[in-house]
Amino acid sequence: MNLSGVFAPVPTPFDDRDRVDTARLRAALTKWMKRPLNGVVVLGSNGEAVLMDDFESDQVIVAAREAVPREKRFIVGTGRESTQAAIKASKRAAEHGADAVLVRTPGFFKTQMTSDAFVRHYTAVADASPVPVLLYNFTALTGVNLLPAAVARLATHPNIIGMKESGGDIAQVADLVSGTPAGFNVLAGAAATFYPALCVGAVGGILALGCAAPDACVRLFELTRAGRHDEAKTLQREPVPIARLLGATHGVPGLKAALNLLGYDVGLPRPPLAAVAESVLPALRDALAPFEEIPA
Amino acid sequence: MNLSGVFAPVPTPFDDRDRVDTARLRAALTKWMKRPLNGVVVLGSNGEAVLMDDFESDQVIVAAREAVPREKRFIVGTGRESTQAAIKASKRAAEHGADAVLVRTPGFFKTQMTSDAFVRHYTAVADASPVPVLLYNFTALTGVNLLPAAVARLATHPNIIGMKESGGDIAQVADLVSGTPAGFNVLAGAAATFYPALCVGAVGGILALGCAAPDACVRLFELTRAGRHDEAKTLQREPVPIARLLGATHGVPGLKAALNLLGYDVGLPRPPLAAVAESVLPALRDALAPFEEIPA
Amino acid sequence: MNLSGVFAPVPTPFDDRDRVDTARLRAALTKWMKRPLNGVVVLGSNGEAVLMDDFESDQVIVAAREAVPREKRFIVGTGRESTQAAIKASKRAAEHGADAVLVRTPGFFKTQMTSDAFVRHYTAVADASPVPVLLYNFTALTGVNLLPAAVARLATHPNIIGMKESGGDIAQVADLVSGTPAGFNVLAGAAATFYPALCVGAVGGILALGCAAPDACVRLFELTRAGRHDEAKTLQREPVPIARLLGATHGVPGLKAALNLLGYDVGLPRPPLAAVAESVLPALRDALAPFEEIPA
Amino acid sequence: MNLSGVFAPVPTPFDDRDRVDTARLRAALTKWMKRPLNGVVVLGSNGEAVLMDDFESDQVIVAAREAVPREKRFIVGTGRESTQAAIKASKRAAEHGADAVLVRTPGFFKTQMTSDAFVRHYTAVADASPVPVLLYNFTALTGVNLLPAAVARLATHPNIIGMKESGGDIAQVADLVSGTPAGFNVLAGAAATFYPALCVGAVGGILALGCAAPDACVRLFELTRAGRHDEAKTLQREPVPIARLLGATHGVPGLKAALNLLGYDVGLPRPPLAAVAESVLPALRDALAPFEEIPA
């Protein structure tokens, strides 16, 4: 499976009574599917997966699968703290039509999460999963680091096809690439370092910015793939301000607010997350304006 | 509710097929209940709660309630990432007989976990919970810090009766005490700083060491309460080596191994956690020996 | 040498042309010497020693020695990055009348600053110094940590008589005490944890707060020494707000501003440090008022 | 002044009595000057500048100047904690023939080192320095971060011509480039991220690896400048193992040992630094072998 290109890790709409709103999810996905994205990820960090139960997760997968055409990649986040729960979630995702699963590292018992523990965990998941597995390292959220040496061991598993690395440490991205066989898909997870990650060998990205400004992300990807580095170098800083607003600054609430401004109608985040203050909207609007048309 | 004294945050036994083993849990609790502990916590961090589903959690609560006499405090961990899930878990715990619930901070969306977010979260949980609520801050595991200023606001809620602070920053413990009304129970969560925490006003502790060496913990507590600081100062370093083995060094696997050595029969940890290596057992045995009789 | 009690780590006055102002230093010391302090430290972190050259350092030592009576302890900071420079500075301090030297860990080459490196460094300094040596660990500033195991090795050196630990990690303070022989003087360096540090066996403190509110610090020390822990527990949080303003919040500029408000006339900090904004003075005044009389 | 290309931050040889050995310094520089380096830096972090006094620093500058031909850039490290000391050192360096000075951020008083403080410090130094100034940010050693916003302000000063950024955060490097005018020289300081730094607009690097394997660094630079990114991408990971041994793992002692293996005769590091253990030499030799001929 070739995962080069840009993926949108889409948020989950909730309705006014805080229930998963599958109709709005399908409608938003239909809009995204008109863009040059390679595919989508549901139930990732941006999908508020950790705030949902298993039944709700199933609802999201089933609804999204209907809206994502077969020629696009449909990836489902199935990370759990326990190995058996991650296996169960991966099986369910596969049953409901996932093309691959994206499995975030467990991270609660930090001092015990050694490379050996990660290798055991992912090997068990990959052995059991009916669909290919992507590793997923997001140290800023989990507090643990899936090191290149562990990834190099896991990359030999026939059912582990790649990895999302959300950290901005490009030396680590480069080590991931150089330590894994050609064909292992290293995907960037941070827009601010998407271009340098591509330079050192990442094949694409799963970027929150890909939800809000997909064309800008894809253009950067295409320029780099075409070896047009001078243009890429010039362009690559432009989306950083909006990427930061949707990332470190406002997180999922910022992403949802931006998408609502753009007409995606993805609703509010689930508590304890709270909607961004009204006063934040003008800054979001200004930062989006260079990339997307904002409905009046 | 007076929570002074020492509480044991007990582990959850799993059987050979990795299922919750309620019989072994009851048997172990029966042993602990003969000790001078004020009560127990089930489904805390040491209880591997994050590795279990809701059905298993219910099994643990129901089984443990049978084994814990009414004169001991029976506290149930019900922290969840989403506010509604924490509420649901707290209601279920109350229904099954919890005297109070211990609610760890959500921590996944780190940058959004402001004091305001924590106040909203805990207020909603405390409003809905049929039994009193204890806040729970464990920065080393969650990566977020429930600051004394937020606790001071929450301590005015009539259904929030105290807090477990697992960090070793005694200035923060002191701030928690001085910022909350008399009667708000600040409980230490780290054995290595139990004595200085008591000095600055903590009323007790929820200590992994309280599972493995309850009398040593209780003695330190009693000496301090009696104002016998010279003796306490001398004694307080003695259990630090074993406390560290059960904490930062080996975590839950270390605690389970130590308890198995002591005859509690609590089984193995659940993957991705793994049993400690055999080679670790002699060090555990040596560190336990000064405090408890180790069956041959 | 018994170092129990409270020491003031005094700042260095500069004149309007940014030269060391020995007259103002002597005048300020004369005021401090009327207080129940055990002694003073010159050329510590608060003394802006890292902003001065060797000639200026000598000026400070010579001037201060004149103003500090023999029955008070006169300690001089002589930490340097190189071992030979620390030795030279310690010899010069001794020559000019220091009772002891306080030697901050080198910290520039962080990854090389192992326990072995610290043991070599301090052993060489203590071998060469004509006066007793105090170790000095200030991880927040240096980025390195002089661990209790290294201190335990160094405490056997006949010319190393104690240590200032500026960190607030009371478990580490307790480990320092329990790992060193009786008579080794562990001194706290942070007012916010002075009381719990005394509880676990520190014999005193070198506290910026001891410059601004010496009686409050000494009273806390005396209550604790007398075993009057109930009173100490109540009192110990009171000076924390002013201690934080003089520490983490405003640092040396805050300390100098507070002392100027109190009539010590210590001038401005040296660039790149800058005086605190005028707007900060009311908060300093308010936080000082409960402890000291502020001249109109 | 155009600073594109690769600079070697050379170590300082000491003789058997721990004195600066200017003859060996000149001899080593003569060897380096035959390589395609753009220039050298003396008295940088790798030059153990913080372990030397002002007289020794002058010795190094004078000796090195003799050995570095005019067509190569000769840069001198003059960072000091105090602004006036940094000015004095910069004037002296200029007097002795420096082409530019490299001024590391002060970092001792961490909480006070705001962007405003850095702007004041560097403006004063640049106003006074007879030769152009390079900013120098090395957060891992100093614990402070000279942020892109401060650099953007400083880059407008006519006597500030560039910056060395030793951190591996490529997003920050990219921000430095995009926030400063064309012609402001951003130089990388970490070999493991040299290539991605060039991708986002750094014009060159001051790299410890440039001392030990200059041709490998220059080749990577030339390929990137020529737009031959496919080759650069392939080559760029090769020197990472040796770069790490000379950086995080063994630091200056590792660099000196490697250079001694290569015949540069740079002696031992100064205490508290210590020579690497003999047992480390084979790994250094192996890691160097692909890049340089190692004398028997």
Side-chain angles (χ1 to χ4, degrees):
Chain A
M1 196 183 299
N2 176 2
L3 299 175
S4 54
V6 176
F7 294 79
V10 303
T12 306
F14 301 105
D15 69 15
D16 295 350
R17 293 168 57 193
D18 198 18
R19 294 173 308 196
V20 169
D21 190 331
T22 53
R24 284 205 274 180
L25 174 59
R26 276 191 303 265
L29 282 166
T30 302
K31 293 186 67 169
W32 276 307
M33 290 301 93
K34 295 175 184 150
R35 296 306 195 84
L37 295 162
N38 190 354
V40 297
V41 175
V42 298
L43 298 175
S45 309
N46 278 313
E48 292 171 80
V50 296
L51 304 181
M52 289 155 64
D53 63 27
D54 288 342
F55 175 73
E56 293 176 317
S57 299
D58 284 351
Q59 286 182 288
V60 166
I61 305 170
V62 170
R65 178 70 278 185
E66 293 173 29
V68 177
R70 290 288 153 182
E71 70 271 17
K72 299 278 189 176
R73 297 293 167 205
F74 178 60
I75 300 172
V76 177
T78 59
R80 296 290 188 278
E81 283 297 325
S82 95
T83 304
Q84 66 169 249
I87 289 172
K88 239 190 264 181
S90 298
K91 286 182 169 169
R92 221 160 41 225
E95 203 177 311
H96 295 325
D99 294 324
V101 289
L102 177 66
V103 184
R104 196 182 48 245
T105 56
F108 186 79
F109 296 106
K110 293 184 169 39
T111 56
Q112 308 305 310
M113 290 300 101
T114 58
S115 284
D116 281 349
F118 285 135
V119 168
R120 282 195 310 270
H121 178 75
Y122 280 115
T123 301
V125 173
D127 285 349
S129 171
V131 293
V133 168
L134 289 162
L135 315 175
Y136 180 8
N137 192 37
F138 197 163
T139 301
L141 286 196
T142 61
V144 296
N145 195 358
L146 179 60
L147 292 170
V151 175
R153 289 160 66 189
L154 288 164
T156 63
H157 192 293
N159 205 27
I160 298 179
I161 62 166
M163 172 168 186
K164 177 183 183 189
E165 170 56 66
S166 285
D169 179 345
I170 296 301
Q172 184 159 329
V173 175
D175 285 346
L176 291 170
V177 171
S178 63
T180 53
F184 185 84
N185 298 277
V186 174
L187 296 164
T193 45
F194 184 38
Y195 170 64
L198 293 172
C199 287
V200 300
V203 301
I206 300 177
L207 306 171
L209 188 66
C211 299
D215 288 21
C217 298
V218 172
R219 177 147 176 75
L220 190 53
F221 170 75
E222 295 294 356
L223 285 173
T224 310
R225 181 156 69 171
R228 292 159 65 184
H229 281 272
D230 285 347
E231 290 161 85
K233 190 199 291 194
T234 306
L235 277 182
Q236 52 114 1
R237 283 289 93 183
E238 291 179 3
V240 169
I242 180 63
R244 287 189 174 144
L245 289 174
L246 309 185
T249 312
H250 298 299
V252 172
L255 177 61
K256 284 193 153 176
L259 292 173
N260 287 333
L261 284 174
L262 293 168
Y264 283 91
D265 190 22
V266 293
L268 302 179
R270 177 169 272 186
L273 294 181
V276 295
E278 286 286 324
S279 57
V280 167
L281 299 182
L284 283 175
R285 192 183 290 272
D286 288 354
L288 285 165
F291 304 103
E292 296 280 323
E293 200 166 329
I294 303 176
Chain B
M1 196 182 300
N2 176 2
L3 300 175
S4 52
V6 176
F7 293 80
V10 302
T12 306
F14 301 105
D15 68 15
D16 294 350
R17 293 169 55 194
D18 199 18
R19 294 172 308 192
V20 169
D21 190 331
T22 52
R24 285 204 274 180
L25 175 60
R26 275 193 303 264
L29 282 166
T30 302
K31 292 186 67 169
W32 277 308
M33 289 302 92
K34 294 174 185 153
R35 296 306 196 84
L37 295 162
N38 189 354
V40 297
V41 174
V42 297
L43 299 175
S45 310
N46 279 312
E48 293 172 80
V50 296
L51 303 181
M52 290 155 64
D53 64 26
D54 288 342
F55 175 73
E56 293 176 316
S57 299
D58 284 351
Q59 287 183 286
V60 167
I61 305 170
V62 169
R65 178 70 279 185
E66 292 173 29
V68 177
R70 291 287 153 183
E71 69 271 16
K72 299 278 189 178
R73 298 293 167 206
F74 178 60
I75 300 173
V76 176
T78 60
R80 297 291 187 279
E81 283 297 324
S82 95
T83 304
Q84 65 170 251
I87 289 173
K88 239 190 266 180
S90 298
K91 286 183 169 169
R92 222 162 39 225
E95 204 176 310
H96 295 325
D99 294 324
V101 289
L102 176 66
V103 184
R104 196 183 49 244
T105 56
F108 186 79
F109 296 108
K110 294 184 169 38
T111 58
Q112 309 304 309
M113 290 300 99
T114 60
S115 284
D116 281 350
F118 286 134
V119 168
R120 282 196 311 272
H121 178 75
Y122 280 114
T123 301
V125 173
D127 284 349
S129 171
V131 293
V133 169
L134 289 163
L135 314 175
Y136 180 10
N137 192 39
F138 197 164
T139 301
L141 285 196
T142 62
V144 296
N145 194 358
L146 179 60
L147 293 168
V151 175
R153 289 160 66 187
L154 288 163
T156 63
H157 192 293
N159 205 28
I160 298 179
I161 61 165
M163 172 168 186
K164 177 183 182 188
E165 170 58 65
S166 286
D169 179 345
I170 296 300
Q172 184 158 328
V173 175
D175 284 346
L176 291 170
V177 172
S178 64
T180 53
F184 185 84
N185 298 278
V186 174
L187 296 165
T193 46
F194 184 38
Y195 170 64
L198 293 172
C199 287
V200 300
V203 300
I206 301 176
L207 305 171
L209 187 65
C211 299
D215 288 21
C217 298
V218 172
R219 175 144 178 78
L220 190 54
F221 170 75
E222 296 294 354
L223 285 173
T224 311
R225 183 157 68 171
R228 293 159 64 185
H229 281 272
D230 285 346
E231 289 161 86
K233 192 198 292 193
T234 305
L235 277 182
Q236 53 114 2
R237 283 290 93 184
E238 291 180 3
V240 169
I242 179 64
R244 287 190 174 143
L245 289 175
L246 308 185
T249 311
H250 298 299
V252 171
L255 178 61
K256 284 193 152 175
L259 293 173
N260 288 332
L261 285 175
L262 293 168
Y264 284 91
D265 189 23
V266 293
L268 301 179
R270 176 169 272 186
L273 295 180
V276 296
E278 286 286 324
S279 57
V280 167
L281 299 183
L284 284 176
R285 193 182 289 271
D286 288 353
L288 284 166
F291 304 103
E292 297 278 323
E293 201 165 329
I294 304 176
Chain C
M1 198 183 299
N2 176 2
L3 299 176
S4 54
V6 176
F7 293 79
V10 304
T12 305
F14 301 105
D15 68 16
D16 295 351
R17 292 169 58 194
D18 199 18
R19 295 172 306 195
V20 170
D21 190 331
T22 52
R24 285 205 272 181
L25 175 59
R26 276 192 303 264
L29 282 166
T30 302
K31 292 187 67 169
W32 276 307
M33 290 302 92
K34 295 174 184 152
R35 296 305 195 85
L37 296 162
N38 190 355
V40 297
V41 174
V42 297
L43 298 176
S45 309
N46 279 312
E48 294 172 78
V50 296
L51 304 181
M52 289 154 65
D53 64 26
D54 288 343
F55 175 73
E56 293 176 316
S57 299
D58 284 351
Q59 287 183 288
V60 166
I61 305 169
V62 170
R65 179 70 278 186
E66 293 173 29
V68 177
R70 290 288 153 182
E71 69 271 16
K72 300 277 189 176
R73 298 292 166 207
F74 178 61
I75 300 172
V76 176
T78 59
R80 296 291 188 278
E81 283 297 325
S82 95
T83 304
Q84 65 170 249
I87 289 172
K88 239 190 265 181
S90 300
K91 286 182 170 170
R92 220 159 42 224
E95 202 176 313
H96 295 325
D99 293 325
V101 289
L102 176 66
V103 184
R104 198 181 47 243
T105 56
F108 186 79
F109 296 106
K110 295 185 168 39
T111 57
Q112 309 306 309
M113 290 300 101
T114 59
S115 284
D116 281 348
F118 286 135
V119 169
R120 281 195 311 270
H121 179 74
Y122 280 114
T123 301
V125 174
D127 284 350
S129 172
V131 293
V133 168
L134 289 162
L135 314 175
Y136 180 8
N137 192 37
F138 197 165
T139 301
L141 285 196
T142 61
V144 296
N145 194 358
L146 179 59
L147 292 170
V151 175
R153 290 160 66 189
L154 288 164
T156 62
H157 192 292
N159 205 27
I160 298 179
I161 60 165
M163 172 168 185
K164 178 183 183 188
E165 170 56 67
S166 286
D169 179 345
I170 296 301
Q172 184 158 330
V173 175
D175 285 347
L176 291 170
V177 172
S178 64
T180 52
F184 185 83
N185 298 277
V186 174
L187 295 164
T193 45
F194 184 38
Y195 170 63
L198 293 172
C199 288
V200 300
V203 301
I206 301 176
L207 306 171
L209 188 65
C211 299
D215 288 21
C217 298
V218 172
R219 176 147 177 76
L220 191 54
F221 170 76
E222 295 294 355
L223 285 172
T224 310
R225 181 157 68 171
R228 292 160 65 185
H229 281 272
D230 286 346
E231 291 161 83
K233 191 199 290 193
T234 305
L235 277 182
Q236 52 114 0
R237 282 289 93 183
E238 292 180 2
V240 169
I242 179 64
R244 287 190 174 142
L245 290 175
L246 309 185
T249 311
H250 298 300
V252 171
L255 177 61
K256 285 193 152 175
L259 292 174
N260 287 332
L261 285 174
L262 292 168
Y264 284 91
D265 190 23
V266 293
L268 301 178
R270 177 169 272 186
L273 295 180
V276 296
E278 287 285 324
S279 57
V280 167
L281 299 182
L284 284 176
R285 194 182 288 272
D286 289 353
L288 285 166
F291 304 102
E292 296 279 323
E293 201 166 329
I294 304 176
Chain D
M1 197 184 299
N2 175 3
L3 299 176
S4 53
V6 176
F7 293 80
V10 303
T12 305
F14 300 105
D15 68 15
D16 294 350
R17 294 169 56 194
D18 198 17
R19 295 171 307 193
V20 169
D21 190 330
T22 52
R24 284 205 273 181
L25 175 60
R26 275 193 304 264
L29 281 166
T30 302
K31 292 186 66 169
W32 277 308
M33 289 302 93
K34 296 175 184 154
R35 296 305 195 87
L37 297 161
N38 190 353
V40 297
V41 174
V42 297
L43 299 177
S45 310
N46 279 313
E48 294 172 78
V50 297
L51 304 181
M52 289 154 65
D53 65 26
D54 288 342
F55 175 73
E56 292 176 317
S57 299
D58 284 351
Q59 286 182 287
V60 167
I61 305 170
V62 170
R65 178 70 278 185
E66 292 173 29
V68 177
R70 290 287 153 183
E71 69 271 16
K72 300 277 189 177
R73 298 293 166 205
F74 178 61
I75 300 172
V76 177
T78 60
R80 296 290 187 280
E81 284 297 324
S82 95
T83 304
Q84 64 171 251
I87 289 172
K88 240 190 265 182
S90 299
K91 286 182 170 169
R92 222 162 38 225
E95 203 175 311
H96 296 324
D99 293 324
V101 289
L102 176 66
V103 184
R104 196 182 50 243
T105 57
F108 186 79
F109 296 107
K110 295 184 168 38
T111 58
Q112 309 304 310
M113 290 300 99
T114 60
S115 283
D116 281 350
F118 286 134
V119 169
R120 281 195 312 270
H121 178 75
Y122 280 114
T123 301
V125 173
D127 284 349
S129 172
V131 294
V133 168
L134 289 163
L135 314 175
Y136 180 9
N137 192 38
F138 197 164
T139 301
L141 285 196
T142 62
V144 298
N145 195 357
L146 179 60
L147 293 169
V151 175
R153 290 159 67 189
L154 288 164
T156 62
H157 192 292
N159 204 29
I160 298 178
I161 62 165
M163 172 168 186
K164 177 183 182 188
E165 171 57 65
S166 286
D169 179 345
I170 296 300
Q172 183 157 330
V173 175
D175 284 347
L176 290 170
V177 172
S178 64
T180 53
F184 184 84
N185 298 278
V186 174
L187 296 165
T193 45
F194 184 38
Y195 171 64
L198 293 172
C199 287
V200 301
V203 301
I206 301 176
L207 306 170
L209 187 66
C211 299
D215 288 21
C217 298
V218 172
R219 175 144 177 78
L220 190 54
F221 170 75
E222 295 294 355
L223 285 172
T224 310
R225 182 156 69 171
R228 292 161 64 183
H229 282 272
D230 285 347
E231 290 161 85
K233 191 198 292 192
T234 305
L235 276 183
Q236 52 115 3
R237 282 290 93 184
E238 291 179 3
V240 169
I242 179 63
R244 287 190 174 142
L245 290 175
L246 309 185
T249 311
H250 298 299
V252 171
L255 177 60
K256 284 192 153 174
L259 293 173
N260 287 333
L261 285 175
L262 293 168
Y264 283 91
D265 189 22
V266 293
L268 301 179
R270 176 169 273 187
L273 295 179
V276 297
E278 286 286 323
S279 57
V280 168
L281 299 183
L284 284 176
R285 193 182 289 272
D286 289 353
L288 285 166
F291 304 104
E292 297 279 322
E293 200 165 331
I294 304 176

